[in-house]
Amino acid sequence: DSLSLDKKIFIKEGEKCWLVKIEDISIFEIEGNYTRVFFENNKPLIYKSLAQIEEKLPGDVFFRANRQQLININHVSKVVSWFNGKLKIEMNSGQEIEISRRQAYIFKDQLSF
């Protein structure tokens, strides 16, 4: 059962806590046994796997770019063809993400007419 984009989730890292709208999260990124959550100027680590997170997110908005990263396509500012059939994505934050060749095919397929 996926969460809607306007749903808020509670994120806690150490003493800091946030209540974040799912649509405000741009990237989820694996870091060891944790997942880093990128939103506004924050990037706390949470103790959840990317697979656990991915199954709760709306699949039409969050895309698995590669093994390490799940991106919110509403935060993508630029898509560039990259070598070997890969794609390079630039996020609104300026962060660059590489989409693997297999995922690039799915990305194009999902986001085309």
Side-chain angles (χ1 to χ4, degrees):
D1 193 29
S2 82
L3 299 165
S4 63
L5 286 178
D6 57 358
K7 181 105 171 104
K8 289 186 173 183
I9 56 168
F10 179 76
I11 296 175
K12 182 178 189 321
E13 182 189 46
E15 296 301 302
K16 288 187 181 167
C17 300
W18 296 269
L19 204 52
V20 187
K21 265 190 181 178
I22 290 181
E23 65 187 352
D24 293 337
I25 297 171
S26 58
I27 305 167
F28 289 96
E29 183 175 86
I30 292 174
E31 205 164 296
N33 294 326
Y34 294 83
T35 298
R36 193 170 285 289
V37 184
F38 291 80
F39 59 94
E40 289 143 14
N41 292 320
N42 304 296
K43 42 185 187 196
L45 279 173
I46 58 172
Y47 192 64
K48 278 239 186 285
S49 76
L50 207 50
Q52 287 174 306
I53 293 166
E54 190 174 12
E55 66 188 26
K56 291 197 179 225
L57 295 171
D60 57 336
V61 176
F62 283 88
F63 183 78
R64 187 71 174 255
N66 51 50
R67 283 197 186 103
Q68 285 82 31
Q69 295 163 316
L70 191 59
I71 61 169
N72 180 336
I73 59 172
N74 295 332
H75 287 253
V76 170
S77 63
K78 200 157 96 188
V79 180
V80 182
S81 273
W82 206 230
F83 59 93
N84 296 336
K86 294 177 182 174
L87 291 173
K88 191 161 83 169
I89 301 279
E90 192 175 302
M91 303 302 283
N92 294 335
S93 63
Q95 195 169 355
E96 291 186 341
I97 307 252
E98 202 174 278
I99 296 190
S100 66
R101 187 171 41 201
R102 192 182 65 188
Q103 290 306 95
Y105 177 79
I106 296 166
F107 184 80
K108 288 182 223 171
D109 193 51
Q110 265 185 12
L111 297 174
S112 300
F113 282 101

